[in-house]
Amino acid sequence: MDVLWGFKHFGKSYFTGLYRYNRKNVTMMQIGGTYLSNKWMYDELDQYRIKYYRYKDDDTITKDTKIERLSSDDLLHHDTDKGIVNQGFVEEDYLAYGKNSRDNWLRSKKIRPDCSLKPHLSKLESRELYPIYSDHGSVWEDHFFNDLCDCDLFVPRPHPQLMSYKPFIEHFKTCRNIITYKSDVVDMCIARINLFESKETNKYMNTTINDVEDAYNTDKELVFSHLDFFVTKNRNVEQLLIDLDIPYEHIDLDTHDYKILCDNPVSRRHGEQLEYTPRKTERHEFARHMVEEYIKTRGLTDLRLSGRLHDKI
Protein backbone atom coordinates (compact mmCIF):
# COMPACT_ATOMS: atom_id res chain seq x y z
CA MET A 1 0.00 0.00 0.00
CA ASP A 2 1.19 3.50 -0.90
CA VAL A 3 0.44 6.20 1.67
CA LEU A 4 0.35 9.87 0.69
CA TRP A 5 1.16 12.18 3.60
CA GLY A 6 0.54 15.90 3.97
CA PHE A 7 -1.57 18.48 5.73
CA LYS A 8 -3.05 20.76 3.09
CA HIS A 9 -2.36 21.58 -0.57
CA PHE A 10 0.14 18.80 -1.19
CA GLY A 11 -0.89 17.14 -4.45
CA LYS A 12 -3.76 15.04 -3.11
CA SER A 13 -6.02 15.63 -6.13
CA TYR A 14 -3.23 14.71 -8.53
CA PHE A 15 -2.39 11.48 -6.72
CA THR A 16 -5.95 10.29 -6.21
CA GLY A 17 -6.79 11.18 -9.82
CA LEU A 18 -3.74 9.35 -11.16
CA TYR A 19 -4.40 6.17 -9.18
CA ARG A 20 -8.11 6.11 -9.97
CA TYR A 21 -7.48 6.71 -13.67
CA ASN A 22 -5.27 3.63 -13.54
CA ARG A 23 -8.07 1.61 -11.85
CA LYS A 24 -6.22 1.44 -8.56
CA ASN A 25 -8.17 1.36 -5.31
CA VAL A 26 -7.99 4.56 -3.27
CA THR A 27 -9.03 5.40 0.31
CA MET A 28 -9.12 8.96 1.62
CA MET A 29 -10.02 10.28 5.06
CA GLN A 30 -12.13 13.44 4.85
CA ILE A 31 -13.86 16.13 6.92
CA GLY A 32 -10.85 16.76 9.11
CA GLY A 33 -9.97 13.08 9.07
CA THR A 34 -12.33 12.23 11.94
CA TYR A 35 -15.87 11.81 10.56
CA LEU A 36 -15.82 10.06 7.21
CA SER A 37 -13.70 8.13 4.74
CA ASN A 38 -14.25 7.74 1.00
CA LYS A 39 -13.07 4.76 -0.98
CA TRP A 40 -13.00 3.97 -4.70
CA MET A 41 -12.57 0.37 -5.86
CA TYR A 42 -12.43 -1.01 -9.40
CA ASP A 43 -13.44 -4.28 -11.01
CA GLU A 44 -12.99 -4.09 -14.77
CA LEU A 45 -15.36 -1.24 -15.84
CA ASP A 46 -17.22 -1.07 -12.53
CA GLN A 47 -16.38 1.66 -10.05
CA TYR A 48 -17.46 1.11 -6.45
CA ARG A 49 -17.84 4.40 -4.58
CA ILE A 50 -17.88 3.65 -0.87
CA LYS A 51 -18.20 5.93 2.11
CA TYR A 52 -17.83 4.99 5.74
CA TYR A 53 -19.51 7.05 8.44
CA ARG A 54 -21.44 6.72 11.67
CA TYR A 55 -24.37 8.66 13.09
CA LYS A 56 -24.28 9.82 16.69
CA ASP A 57 -27.46 7.88 17.40
CA ASP A 58 -26.02 4.66 15.97
CA ASP A 59 -23.46 2.23 17.36
CA THR A 60 -22.04 0.90 14.10
CA ILE A 61 -20.17 2.29 11.11
CA THR A 62 -22.31 2.52 7.99
CA LYS A 63 -20.92 1.43 4.63
CA ASP A 64 -22.68 3.18 1.74
CA THR A 65 -21.83 1.85 -1.75
CA LYS A 66 -22.65 3.13 -5.23
CA ILE A 67 -21.71 1.10 -8.32
CA GLU A 68 -21.16 2.87 -11.65
CA ARG A 69 -20.05 1.66 -15.06
CA LEU A 70 -17.20 4.03 -15.92
CA SER A 71 -14.08 3.63 -18.03
CA SER A 72 -10.91 5.49 -17.12
CA ASP A 73 -11.63 8.04 -19.84
CA ASP A 74 -15.15 8.47 -18.44
CA LEU A 75 -13.60 9.52 -15.14
CA LEU A 76 -12.04 12.50 -16.94
CA HIS A 77 -15.52 13.83 -17.76
CA HIS A 78 -17.13 13.77 -14.32
CA ASP A 79 -16.53 15.94 -11.24
CA THR A 80 -15.27 14.37 -8.07
CA ASP A 81 -16.29 12.19 -6.42
CA LYS A 82 -17.87 10.30 -9.30
CA GLY A 83 -15.05 11.21 -11.64
CA ILE A 84 -11.65 12.78 -11.13
CA VAL A 85 -12.27 16.29 -12.46
CA ASN A 86 -11.39 18.81 -9.77
CA GLN A 87 -14.40 20.94 -8.86
CA GLY A 88 -12.18 23.91 -9.60
CA PHE A 89 -13.18 26.59 -7.12
CA VAL A 90 -11.59 28.48 -4.23
CA GLU A 91 -13.17 30.92 -1.81
CA GLU A 92 -12.20 34.13 -3.62
CA ASP A 93 -10.13 33.29 -6.71
CA TYR A 94 -8.04 36.45 -6.75
CA LEU A 95 -5.98 35.30 -9.75
CA ALA A 96 -8.97 34.86 -12.08
CA TYR A 97 -10.84 37.92 -10.79
CA GLY A 98 -13.38 35.76 -8.97
CA LYS A 99 -14.37 33.63 -11.96
CA ASN A 100 -13.73 30.40 -10.06
CA SER A 101 -14.80 31.66 -6.64
CA ARG A 102 -16.95 29.55 -4.38
CA ASP A 103 -20.01 31.77 -4.89
CA ASN A 104 -19.75 31.67 -8.67
CA TRP A 105 -19.24 27.92 -8.65
CA LEU A 106 -22.34 27.47 -6.48
CA ARG A 107 -24.36 29.61 -8.87
CA SER A 108 -23.14 27.64 -11.88
CA LYS A 109 -24.23 24.40 -10.19
CA LYS A 110 -27.49 25.98 -8.95
CA ILE A 111 -26.59 25.14 -5.35
CA ARG A 112 -27.77 27.24 -2.41
CA PRO A 113 -24.96 29.35 -0.85
CA ASP A 114 -25.76 27.88 2.57
CA CYS A 115 -25.65 24.28 1.34
CA SER A 116 -22.95 22.01 2.79
CA LEU A 117 -20.21 21.08 0.34
CA LYS A 118 -19.00 18.18 2.43
CA PRO A 119 -18.55 15.17 0.15
CA HIS A 120 -21.55 12.84 -0.17
CA LEU A 121 -23.36 14.44 2.75
CA SER A 122 -26.49 15.80 1.08
CA LYS A 123 -28.65 13.09 2.63
CA LEU A 124 -26.73 12.97 5.91
CA GLU A 125 -27.26 16.55 7.00
CA SER A 126 -30.47 15.78 8.90
CA ARG A 127 -28.57 13.57 11.38
CA GLU A 128 -25.42 14.43 13.26
CA LEU A 129 -22.31 12.44 12.40
CA TYR A 130 -20.13 10.84 15.05
CA PRO A 131 -16.36 11.50 14.86
CA ILE A 132 -15.34 7.86 14.35
CA TYR A 133 -11.64 8.47 14.22
CA SER A 134 -11.55 10.60 17.38
CA ASP A 135 -11.92 7.41 19.41
CA HIS A 136 -8.86 5.51 20.57
CA GLY A 137 -7.38 3.47 17.73
CA SER A 138 -8.31 0.18 19.39
CA VAL A 139 -12.00 1.03 18.90
CA TRP A 140 -11.75 1.22 15.10
CA GLU A 141 -8.73 -1.03 14.51
CA ASP A 142 -10.72 -3.65 12.57
CA HIS A 143 -12.22 -0.95 10.34
CA PHE A 144 -8.77 0.51 9.74
CA PHE A 145 -7.21 -2.76 8.58
CA ASN A 146 -10.20 -4.39 6.87
CA ASP A 147 -11.73 -1.35 5.17
CA LEU A 148 -9.39 1.63 4.99
CA CYS A 149 -6.16 -0.20 4.25
CA ASP A 150 -7.59 -2.55 1.64
CA CYS A 151 -6.38 -0.31 -1.18
CA ASP A 152 -3.45 0.70 -3.37
CA LEU A 153 -3.33 4.33 -2.18
CA PHE A 154 -4.30 5.55 1.28
CA VAL A 155 -4.55 9.29 2.01
CA PRO A 156 -4.87 9.67 5.79
CA ARG A 157 -5.23 12.75 7.95
CA PRO A 158 -2.43 12.62 10.55
CA HIS A 159 -4.52 13.36 13.62
CA PRO A 160 -3.41 12.22 17.11
CA GLN A 161 -5.56 9.08 17.35
CA LEU A 162 -4.21 7.73 14.07
CA MET A 163 -0.61 8.57 14.84
CA SER A 164 -0.48 7.41 18.47
CA TYR A 165 -1.77 3.85 18.16
CA LYS A 166 1.13 1.42 17.85
CA PRO A 167 -0.51 -1.15 15.48
CA PHE A 168 -1.25 1.65 12.99
CA ILE A 169 2.28 3.03 13.24
CA GLU A 170 3.82 -0.41 12.75
CA HIS A 171 1.64 -0.98 9.69
CA PHE A 172 2.69 2.33 8.15
CA LYS A 173 6.32 1.25 8.57
CA THR A 174 5.66 -1.59 6.12
CA CYS A 175 4.12 0.70 3.48
CA ARG A 176 5.53 2.93 0.78
CA ASN A 177 5.17 6.35 2.40
CA ILE A 178 5.27 9.41 0.16
CA ILE A 179 5.86 13.09 0.94
CA THR A 180 5.35 15.38 -2.05
CA TYR A 181 6.82 18.78 -2.80
CA LYS A 182 7.40 21.07 -5.77
CA SER A 183 10.89 22.15 -6.78
CA ASP A 184 9.24 25.18 -8.41
CA VAL A 185 8.71 27.03 -5.13
CA VAL A 186 7.38 30.16 -6.84
CA ASP A 187 4.67 28.24 -8.69
CA MET A 188 3.53 26.48 -5.51
CA CYS A 189 3.38 29.72 -3.54
CA ILE A 190 1.44 31.52 -6.28
CA ALA A 191 -1.14 28.73 -6.14
CA ARG A 192 -1.37 29.23 -2.38
CA ILE A 193 -1.83 32.97 -2.83
CA ASN A 194 -5.07 32.03 -4.57
CA LEU A 195 -6.19 30.14 -1.47
CA PHE A 196 -6.17 33.31 0.63
CA GLU A 197 -9.45 33.95 2.45
CA SER A 198 -10.23 37.53 3.45
CA LYS A 199 -13.17 36.62 5.69
CA GLU A 200 -11.06 34.25 7.75
CA THR A 201 -8.24 36.78 7.95
CA ASN A 202 -10.60 39.54 9.11
CA LYS A 203 -12.16 37.19 11.66
CA TYR A 204 -8.93 36.09 13.30
CA MET A 205 -6.63 39.06 12.64
CA ASN A 206 -9.13 41.84 13.40
CA THR A 207 -8.69 43.41 9.96
CA THR A 208 -11.05 44.72 7.27
CA ILE A 209 -9.19 43.74 4.11
CA ASN A 210 -10.98 42.90 0.83
CA ASP A 211 -8.58 40.48 -0.88
CA VAL A 212 -5.01 39.25 -0.79
CA GLU A 213 -3.70 42.34 -2.62
CA ASP A 214 -5.37 44.60 -0.07
CA ALA A 215 -3.86 42.47 2.70
CA TYR A 216 -0.39 42.81 1.19
CA ASN A 217 -0.72 46.60 0.93
CA THR A 218 -2.06 46.80 4.49
CA ASP A 219 0.46 44.50 6.15
CA LYS A 220 2.66 42.11 4.18
CA GLU A 221 2.81 39.74 7.13
CA LEU A 222 -0.87 38.92 6.63
CA VAL A 223 0.06 37.35 3.31
CA PHE A 224 3.41 35.98 4.41
CA SER A 225 1.91 34.24 7.46
CA HIS A 226 -0.75 32.73 5.18
CA LEU A 227 2.01 31.20 3.04
CA ASP A 228 3.95 30.15 6.16
CA PHE A 229 0.93 28.13 7.28
CA PHE A 230 1.15 25.68 4.36
CA VAL A 231 4.90 25.26 4.58
CA THR A 232 4.90 24.78 8.36
CA LYS A 233 1.98 22.36 8.55
CA ASN A 234 3.26 20.11 5.76
CA ARG A 235 6.77 20.12 7.22
CA ASN A 236 5.33 19.15 10.59
CA VAL A 237 3.83 16.02 9.03
CA GLU A 238 7.25 15.10 7.66
CA GLN A 239 8.77 15.65 11.11
CA LEU A 240 6.09 13.43 12.63
CA LEU A 241 7.05 10.55 10.34
CA ILE A 242 10.67 10.99 11.37
CA ASP A 243 9.75 11.04 15.06
CA LEU A 244 7.78 7.80 14.64
CA ASP A 245 10.54 6.12 12.59
CA ILE A 246 8.21 5.73 9.61
CA PRO A 247 10.36 5.59 6.46
CA TYR A 248 9.30 7.76 3.54
CA GLU A 249 10.41 9.05 0.17
CA HIS A 250 10.05 12.42 -1.52
CA ILE A 251 8.34 12.83 -4.88
CA ASP A 252 8.71 16.08 -6.79
CA LEU A 253 5.37 16.98 -8.37
CA ASP A 254 7.22 18.95 -11.06
CA THR A 255 9.72 16.38 -12.29
CA HIS A 256 8.71 12.87 -11.20
CA ASP A 257 8.26 10.00 -13.65
CA TYR A 258 4.63 8.85 -13.34
CA LYS A 259 5.76 5.31 -14.14
CA ILE A 260 7.13 4.96 -10.62
CA LEU A 261 3.50 5.17 -9.50
CA CYS A 262 1.21 3.99 -12.30
CA ASP A 263 1.28 2.84 -15.92
CA ASN A 264 -0.75 5.62 -17.51
CA PRO A 265 -0.38 9.38 -16.94
CA VAL A 266 -2.80 12.17 -16.22
CA SER A 267 -1.80 15.81 -16.65
CA ARG A 268 1.01 16.74 -14.29
CA ARG A 269 -1.13 19.72 -13.30
CA HIS A 270 -4.23 17.60 -12.72
CA GLY A 271 -6.21 18.89 -9.76
CA GLU A 272 -4.45 22.24 -9.56
CA GLN A 273 -6.64 25.32 -9.33
CA LEU A 274 -4.18 27.11 -11.67
CA GLU A 275 -5.18 24.59 -14.31
CA TYR A 276 -8.22 26.85 -14.73
CA THR A 277 -6.47 30.19 -14.28
CA PRO A 278 -4.90 32.43 -16.94
CA ARG A 279 -1.27 33.29 -16.18
CA LYS A 280 -0.70 36.37 -18.33
CA THR A 281 -2.65 38.86 -16.23
CA GLU A 282 -1.80 41.78 -13.98
CA ARG A 283 -2.99 39.86 -10.96
CA HIS A 284 -0.81 36.87 -11.73
CA GLU A 285 2.18 39.19 -12.08
CA PHE A 286 1.34 40.87 -8.77
CA ALA A 287 0.99 37.47 -7.12
CA ARG A 288 4.45 36.61 -8.44
CA HIS A 289 5.75 39.87 -6.98
CA MET A 290 4.29 39.04 -3.56
CA VAL A 291 5.67 35.50 -3.67
CA GLU A 292 9.16 36.54 -4.75
CA GLU A 293 9.33 39.06 -1.91
CA TYR A 294 8.05 36.42 0.50
CA ILE A 295 10.67 33.91 -0.64
CA LYS A 296 13.44 36.50 -0.29
CA THR A 297 12.22 37.67 3.12
CA ARG A 298 11.91 34.17 4.51
CA GLY A 299 14.97 32.76 2.77
CA LEU A 300 12.83 29.95 1.38
CA THR A 301 14.69 27.64 -0.98
CA ASP A 302 13.02 24.25 -0.43
CA LEU A 303 9.50 23.36 0.70
CA ARG A 304 10.66 20.16 2.36
CA LEU A 305 11.55 19.84 6.04
CA SER A 306 15.25 20.12 5.18
CA GLY A 307 14.56 23.69 4.05
CA ARG A 308 14.34 24.72 7.72
CA LEU A 309 18.12 24.64 7.80
CA HIS A 310 18.17 27.71 5.58
CA ASP A 311 14.90 29.61 5.95
CA LYS A 312 12.94 31.30 8.74
CA ILE A 313 9.82 29.11 8.69
Side-chain angles (χ1 to χ4, degrees), residues 29 54 59 61 130-146 148 159-169:
M29 286 181 156
R54 176 184 155 191
D59 293 330
I61 295 173
Y130 179 80
I132 309 169
Y133 309 119
S134 291
D135 286 336
H136 188 268
S138 60
V139 177
W140 47 282
E141 180 176 358
D142 288 345
H143 168 59
F144 174 82
F145 285 108
N146 296 330
L148 303 186
H159 56 76
Q161 288 71 25
L162 180 72
M163 306 307 292
S164 62
Y165 189 50
K166 187 173 181 181
F168 296 166
I169 296 169

Side-chain angles (χ1 to χ4, degrees), residues 50-65:
I50 305 167
K51 65 176 178 287
Y52 301 100
Y53 58 89
R54 176 184 155 191
Y55 292 117
K56 270 197 170 182
D57 57 2
D58 199 346
D59 293 330
T60 59
I61 295 173
T62 296
K63 177 182 178 181
D64 191 335
T65 304

Side-chain angles (χ1 to χ4, degrees), residues 3-28:
V3 185
L4 178 65
W5 294 97
F7 182 82
K8 188 174 183 179
H9 198 246
F10 57 95
K12 179 174 60 179
S13 293
Y14 169 75
F15 262 75
T16 56
L18 176 66
Y19 278 66
R20 289 177 58 197
Y21 182 73
N22 281 270
R23 322 299 289 180
K24 290 179 176 286
N25 301 331
V26 174
T27 302
M28 181 164 59

Side-chain angles (χ1 to χ4, degrees), residues 19-46:
Y19 278 66
R20 289 177 58 197
Y21 182 73
N22 281 270
R23 322 299 289 180
K24 290 179 176 286
N25 301 331
V26 174
T27 302
M28 181 164 59
M29 286 181 156
Q30 296 188 294
I31 317 181
T34 57
Y35 288 91
L36 178 147
S37 288
N38 277 343
K39 186 175 185 177
W40 296 267
M41 300 186 71
Y42 297 92
D43 182 9
E44 297 183 349
L45 286 178
D46 288 334

Side-chain angles (χ1 to χ4, degrees), residues 145-160:
F145 285 108
N146 296 330
D147 299 326
L148 303 186
C149 290
D150 181 23
C151 63
D152 300 294
L153 175 68
F154 182 33
V155 186
R157 294 295 298 268
H159 56 76

Side-chain angles (χ1 to χ4, degrees), residues 89-100:
F89 72 89
V90 291
E91 284 299 317
E92 299 177 18
D93 193 25
Y94 167 80
L95 291 177
Y97 299 84
K99 178 182 178 182
N100 303 308

Side-chain angles (χ1 to χ4, degrees), residues 128-303:
E128 190 173 357
L129 289 175
Y130 179 80
I132 309 169
Y133 309 119
S134 291
D135 286 336
H136 188 268
S138 60
V139 177
W140 47 282
E141 180 176 358
D142 288 345
H143 168 59
F144 174 82
F145 285 108
N146 296 330
D147 299 326
L148 303 186
C149 290
D150 181 23
C151 63
D152 300 294
L153 175 68
F154 182 33
V155 186
R157 294 295 298 268
H159 56 76
Q161 288 71 25
L162 180 72
M163 306 307 292
S164 62
Y165 189 50
K166 187 173 181 181
F168 296 166
I169 296 169
E170 293 304 311
H171 180 67
F172 287 136
K173 289 180 181 180
T174 69
C175 300
R176 182 190 189 186
N177 297 285
I178 298 169
I179 293 277
T180 61
Y181 72 104
K182 278 176 68 73
S183 50
D184 189 341
V185 178
V186 172
D187 189 62
M188 178 65 102
C189 289
I190 288 176
R192 290 171 175 172
I193 285 285
N194 213 35
L195 300 177
F196 188 87
E197 297 183 18
S198 301
K199 288 182 180 179
E200 291 297 299
T201 301
N202 290 336
K203 179 180 178 181
Y204 292 105
M205 303 302 290
N206 194 28
T207 55
T208 57
I209 52 96
N210 297 312
D211 58 26
V212 66
E213 185 174 336
D214 188 19
Y216 175 82
N217 291 327
T218 301
D219 181 356
K220 295 176 184 178
E221 278 300 315
L222 294 173
V223 179
F224 292 177
S225 61
H226 163 78
L227 295 173
D228 285 344
F229 170 82
F230 295 96
V231 178
T232 300
K233 291 294 186 178
N234 285 307
R235 284 178 174 178
N236 287 348
V237 173
E238 187 172 350
Q239 183 63 61
L240 180 60
L241 297 187
I242 292 173
D243 294 342
L244 295 174
D245 292 323
I246 297 174
Y248 64 92
E249 62 185 271
H250 286 113
I251 289 184
D252 186 346
L253 294 171
D254 290 319
T255 63
H256 72 281
D257 181 355
Y258 68 87
K259 291 181 181 178
I260 66 174
L261 302 170
C262 296
D263 293 332
N264 303 299
V266 296
S267 167
R268 196 179 292 276
R269 302 196 76 89
H270 177 81
E272 290 187 17
Q273 175 61 27
L274 293 186
E275 196 175 22
Y276 305 91
T277 304
R279 293 170 180 262
K280 294 182 179 180
T281 66
E282 289 184 4
R283 284 195 171 184
H284 197 279
E285 286 305 309
F286 192 75
R288 178 176 291 275
H289 166 73
M290 289 188 282
V291 163
E292 288 177 346
E293 183 174 358
Y294 165 73
I295 289 172
K296 182 178 179 181
T297 301
R298 293 295 197 258
L300 180 63
T301 58
D302 193 323
L303 294 167

